[in-house]
Amino acid sequence: MAKQLLINDLDKEGIATLAGYKAHGGYAALEKAVKMKPEEVVSEVQKSGLRGRGGAGFPTGMKWSFIAKPPGVPRYLVCNADESEPGTFKDRYLMQRKPHILIEGMIISSFALGANTSYIYIRGEMMYQFHILEKAIQEAYDAGYLGKNILGTGYDLDLYVHPGAGAYICGEETGLIESLEGKRGNPRIKPPFPAVKGVWQCPTVVNNVETLAAVVPIINMTGDEYAKIGIGRSTGTKLISASGHINKPGVYEIELGLPVEEFLYSDQYCGGIRNGKKLKAVVAGGSSVPILPGEKLLKTPKGEPRLMSYESLSEGGFGEGTMLGSGGFIVMDEDTSVVKNLWNFTRFYHHESCGQCSPCREGTGWMEKILHKFLDGHGTMADIDLLWDIQSKIDGRTICPLGDAASWPVASAIRHFRSEFEEYVKNGENMRDIQHYYRVNNLQPA
Amino acid sequence: MAEIKPIKFSDEALALSHKIMKRYPEGKQKSAILPVLHLAQAEFGGWLSAPVMDYVASLLSIQPVEVYEVASFYSMYNLKPVGKCVIEVCRTGPCWLMGAEDLVKFIEKKLNIKEGQTTADGMFTLKTVECLASCGTAPMMQIGETYHENLTFEKCSDILDNYKAKGENVSHWRKERITNHSDVKQ
């Protein structure tokens, strides 16, 4: 059995309640942490090698160490529960089933950072989980884990849940901060970084749900022990959301370093491709990361088995590799049209662009239209190069990473599946996706 | 149209919105705009009219335009009247791989409306939305706060019949489920 630190005990009765969570070792880490100095807690997290689980993989301890501490200015911890990267559903899964692990992790992290007010920014669509968290927070207040003078230490913390209202861009940390301030979620130019000027211009740390939950086992087992799990600089366990054409979609907790092939084919995890089909391609870390053909996903350019880790998945750079990202593992079987899938993703980025930066606002729309053209049977060879040209002019030219996230799927689809685009061009009318054509032109099929 | 009533929260909703405002530091009550707009949408028939947005602005002591620009940015706010029950079908990536497009077509045919439209009896509005973080249980749709997952045409059909039989207003926000811990402050 693989090591589970976050989604263990889910089968235990009442694990979503404070009593059930405590019965299985819950809040022991908090009791331990408040006896430490805040900087000792930060140092444990640094030693653990924990990296941000929201997608960027930035070392959490280092992020915490950047927080500015001007006297008399409040500091804030904000949990990013705005899980909206297509293919990712681990945070929703965790918050619904084990809300107290997030709350405990937030109390410890707020204590380490010296924050007296913290917020969980949750997607507005997840109202069900919003209510679960509200209830769990109330339980924590009643038990003396939140509020004034927590566990007799003199440390005060208020924790609130804040609902978003449907915007992918609010998953970007400065977009999230703008949204928490009650504005449109337009990302800010950095610097200043949130650690210096974040919400209400005060020092702020924004961490993903899974990152904050992982602080609990780190304190329980010590940072050094946590760092022994995993492989190289990819320490610990990671929640992977597996979806698409597989036998067993769902959330799996893996020890980083698990071979991709084992994850995809063993019955303990995805259980192979459904309906006996062959693997065509995988988007390994949420819709924003480059798509890879099956064989390039399973083997690195050196011919070694690829592992589920930050380093191994990105081996070969963008030409031959991809990224672990948020762990949204989307599998496509041999019957999938990569071009149409790309159109779907590009429509998503066009819809979700906040509109601040011209390359992203205009470029995503142009790319969506060109992809329409392929699906309607009117694409040309020059359009493939045009698509390439547009994506290359978005990448790296926007305030926030949404522009990059929109361009990478396009670049990788053309890089690895150019022949499929050419097929759409050559076969014109025959390749035309009639269903798609009816839909976008608002026609009824005969 | 129903008779014109002055725009005002019920006492319960008003108390709740003040409670929400207290969750943010002094003078930063504008931060409460997203939750209060959800509340307003639940109070006033599932959508935000200009007078409702003006009312929210007055509650938060901000300019109406600050509310308009926010309400028009976020996809969960309906700026036009909607049916009692808004069906939100996820259309992105993994759901699309698992047949979301056919599901939308099925619902369109069953309810005899197009995406974005409301049925003549005012019961259902059909929307397609971007990824709802339910990719492992695709295809799926959200109605109110409930996720209906692993859908087949049959299952979807039964669910919609059920809502129709009940005929209730369904909204994302259910105010009775908010706890009181913000009172703990002070």
Side-chain angles (χ1 to χ4, degrees), chain A residues 52-330:
Chain A
R53 300 294 195 227
F58 190 82
T60 306
M62 198 188 288
K63 194 175 194 177
W64 287 9
S65 70
F66 291 152
I67 194 163
K69 296 178 176 169
V73 179
R75 280 163 249 158
Y76 294 97
L77 172 68
V78 182
C79 170
N80 183 345
D82 191 63
E83 183 173 48
S84 26
E85 175 81 5
T88 315
F89 47 99
K90 64 187 173 75
D91 296 340
R92 178 175 149 260
Y93 182 91
L94 185 66
M95 289 187 290
Q96 178 169 335
R97 288 162 178 81
K98 214 172 161 184
H100 281 285
I101 192 171
L102 171 61
I103 294 167
E104 185 181 6
M106 282 201 75
I107 304 170
I108 298 170
S109 309
S110 302
F111 172 74
L113 293 164
N116 295 110
T117 309
S118 297
Y119 296 92
I120 300 173
Y121 184 104
I122 190 169
R123 276 188 80 166
E125 289 91 337
M126 297 184 191
M127 275 296 167
Y128 184 67
Q129 289 73 18
F130 175 94
H131 295 309
I132 288 176
L133 288 170
E134 282 273 322
K135 206 170 143 221
I137 289 174
Q138 180 71 59
E139 286 182 313
Y141 267 100
D142 294 343
Y145 294 135
L146 282 169
K148 298 263 179 244
N149 191 19
I150 294 169
L151 296 172
T153 54
Y155 171 64
D156 305 337
L157 176 65
D158 281 310
L159 178 60
Y160 301 111
V161 198
H162 176 98
Y168 173 68
I169 195 63
C170 295
E172 197 278 339
E173 62 178 5
T174 57
L176 184 149
I177 286 170
E178 285 282 303
S179 180
L180 182 56
E181 290 185 0
K183 303 177 205 155
R184 298 164 75 101
N186 291 351
R188 296 176 179 171
I189 293 173
K190 297 190 263 193
F193 286 88
V196 179
K197 279 188 164 51
V199 65
W200 305 302
Q201 297 297 308
C202 298
T204 305
V205 166
V206 182
N207 282 140
N208 175 259
V209 172
E210 190 189 343
T211 313
L212 291 166
V215 171
V216 174
I218 289 171
I219 295 301
N220 271 327
M221 66 184 357
T222 75
D224 287 333
E225 283 301 309
Y226 186 89
K228 287 181 192 160
I229 308 167
I231 184 167
R233 287 183 55 236
S234 298
T235 61
T237 63
K238 172 95 187 76
L239 298 178
I240 305 288
S241 323
S243 66
H245 301 139
I246 47 177
N247 282 316
K248 289 173 62 195
V251 175
Y252 297 102
E253 183 165 6
I254 61 157
E255 183 170 338
L256 286 165
L258 180 81
V260 176
E261 192 160 3
E262 187 184 337
F263 181 70
L264 187 54
Y265 288 105
S266 94
D267 280 335
Q268 199 186 339
Y269 302 109
C270 302
I273 314 300
R274 62 171 202 164
N275 301 335
K277 299 270 184 190
K278 287 200 205 83
L279 171 67
K280 180 171 187 174
V282 172
V283 177
S287 65
S288 306
V289 310
I291 188 172
L292 274 190
E295 64 282 5
K296 288 193 172 158
L297 177 83
L298 298 174
K299 293 260 187 292
T300 64
K302 285 184 210 143
E304 292 159 358
R306 214 186 268 277
L307 311 176
M308 300 287 283
S309 74
Y310 292 97
E311 291 76 21
S312 184
L313 280 171
S314 57
E315 205 174 315
F318 272 11
E320 300 290 312
T322 180
M323 284 163 78
L324 179 63
S326 62
F329 197 83
I330 311 168

Side-chain angles (χ1 to χ4, degrees), chain B:
Chain B
M1 284 299 285
E3 71 202 86
I4 298 168
K5 283 187 278 183
I7 302 284
K8 195 175 179 313
F9 271 164
S10 62
D11 290 348
E12 192 195 5
L14 193 63
L16 185 55
S17 57
H18 284 297
K19 198 175 276 178
I20 294 169
M21 279 185 249
K22 272 200 282 175
R23 294 180 169 195
Y24 309 95
E26 190 86 50
K28 305 294 182 195
Q29 75 287 351
K30 184 181 171 179
S31 284
I33 189 167
L34 299 184
V36 172
L37 281 175
H38 282 303
L39 191 58
Q41 198 160 271
E43 283 278 293
F44 302 111
W47 71 291
L48 300 170
S49 63
V52 167
M53 290 191 272
D54 293 349
Y55 175 68
V56 169
S58 71
L59 269 183
L60 299 175
S61 320
I62 55 177
Q63 294 301 317
V65 67
E66 295 180 82
V67 181
Y68 304 157
E69 65 168 10
V70 163
S72 59
F73 184 81
Y74 296 91
S75 64
M76 284 179 75
Y77 300 127
N78 301 311
L79 301 180
K80 280 189 227 151
V82 290
K84 285 179 171 176
C85 182
V86 181
I87 307 164
E88 292 164 304
V89 186
C90 173
R91 66 181 191 181
T92 322
C95 273
W96 171 78
L97 285 174
M98 301 302 280
E101 211 164 20
D102 292 336
L103 184 71
V104 172
K105 258 188 254 135
F106 171 79
I107 300 173
E108 285 183 341
K109 209 168 163 195
K110 178 176 166 72
L111 300 178
N112 197 22
I113 47 171
K114 287 270 171 196
E115 182 194 323
Q117 295 177 344
T118 302
T119 51
D121 62 358
M123 185 62 213
F124 293 108
T125 298
L126 176 63
K127 274 170 95 172
T128 57
V129 295
E130 301 295 357
C131 189
L132 288 174
S134 182
C135 320
T137 40
M140 61 81 63
M141 63 181 178
Q142 179 172 23
I143 296 176
E145 66 164 25
T146 312
Y147 277 28
H148 298 282
E149 302 174 307
N150 290 315
L151 290 176
T152 58
F153 292 161
E154 267 177 9
K155 204 170 155 186
C156 173
S157 181
D158 288 349
I159 290 166
L160 296 183
D161 290 343
N162 225 329
Y163 277 102
K164 184 155 183 161
K166 280 196 205 144
E168 290 167 355
N169 269 313
V170 187
S171 70
H172 291 104
W173 184 278
R174 292 168 62 182
K175 50 184 177 287
E176 72 278 9
R177 306 259 303 259
I178 298 291
T179 51
N180 294 319
H181 69 265
S182 50
D183 291 343
V184 175
K185 211 170 179 177
Q186 31 238 310

Side-chain angles (χ1 to χ4, degrees), chain A residues 363-427:
Chain A
T364 50
W366 295 344
M367 294 196 299
E368 188 197 340
K369 281 182 195 153
I370 295 166
L371 286 159
H372 264 311
K373 219 175 140 186
F374 282 101
L375 297 176
D376 281 354
H378 301 300
T380 65
M381 292 296 178
D383 285 333
I384 306 177
D385 298 325
L386 182 59
L387 259 184
W388 182 270
D389 191 50
I390 296 171
Q391 70 75 22
S392 70
K393 285 172 181 158
I394 301 174
D395 191 3
R397 288 174 171 80
T398 52
I399 291 174
C400 86
L402 193 141
D404 310 346
S407 69
W408 296 343
V410 176
S412 55
I414 297 176
R415 187 181 293 127
H416 300 298
F417 296 95
R418 192 180 180 104
S419 60
E420 209 174 305
F421 287 85
E422 288 169 355
E423 194 71 9
Y424 270 90
V425 175
K426 282 186 210 145
N427 281 332

